[in-house]
Structure formats: structure tokens, C-alpha cells
Amino acid sequence: MTPLPGNTRQALLLRNSGFMDGLLQGDGALPAKTKAMKGALEEKIGHVFLSVLVRPPTDEERARYVEYVRARGERREAFEDVVWTLVNSAEFGTRH
């Protein structure tokens, strides 16, 4: 098993600070803004990836997240889940 990058301080910051609340909740937060955007769901998922990971999603990633959000009725909570997942990814932890 390969250990994940990052450290305890990063984990605590993501789980116990206002940073995540500000990123996820409220009308001005990324999930709410993304849900309110005009355009196809595929474009919205691309926007989230660019906002969080500063890169477009691969075709496989886009398809996976579109399916996830669509299955949940494109609710804001589904977009929150997508943002939460990306922010907690090893890629985000090592690049930002």
C-alpha cells in the first residue's frame, strides 16, 4: 500500500475549518454558482474541475460525475459532493 500524500495538518484544515464551509455552502459558494450556471451538465462539471483542480476533467471523469449528479436530480448537494471529493483528492493535496 502506498501512503497518501499530505499530512495531518492538511486533513484537519479540510475537516475542521471554515475553509470548507465557505467553499461548499452558501449562495456564493462554488456548488450553488455551478448549479445556477446556464449550460449542459457536462459543462458544469468541467467548470468545477477547472475551479478546483485547475484542469479539465478526462472523458471518464466527466462521465462519472455527470452520472452521479444526474442521478441525484442535479441538486446543489450533488455539486457539493463533487467539490468535496475533488478537494479531498490526492491530486488537490499535492498540487495546491
Side-chain angles (χ1 to χ4, degrees):
M1 176 192 274
T2 304
L4 292 174
N7 59 43
T8 304
R9 185 175 297 162
Q10 287 172 320
L12 290 173
L13 172 69
L14 291 176
R15 287 167 182 76
N16 298 320
S17 76
F19 170 75
M20 286 305 292
D21 288 341
L23 185 66
L24 294 173
Q25 300 172 346
D27 292 337
L30 180 58
K33 286 181 176 181
T34 304
K35 181 180 177 359
M37 285 175 56
K38 295 183 191 264
L41 182 53
E42 291 79 4
E43 294 171 7
K44 293 178 181 184
I45 295 300
H47 173 74
V48 172
F49 266 76
L50 287 172
S51 297
V52 177
L53 297 180
V54 195
R55 68 163 178 86
T58 65
D59 291 341
E60 181 182 325
E61 290 168 331
R62 186 182 313 272
R64 180 181 334 127
Y65 286 107
V66 164
E67 180 181 340
Y68 178 85
V69 173
R70 191 168 281 141
R72 283 145 187 82
E74 296 188 33
R75 295 172 41 130
R76 183 168 120 180
E77 291 82 3
F79 288 102
E80 288 176 5
D81 291 344
V82 173
V83 173
W84 174 258
T85 300
L86 297 178
V87 169
N88 281 284
S89 69
E91 180 176 353
F92 182 85
T94 57
R95 294 181 88 195
H96 300 286

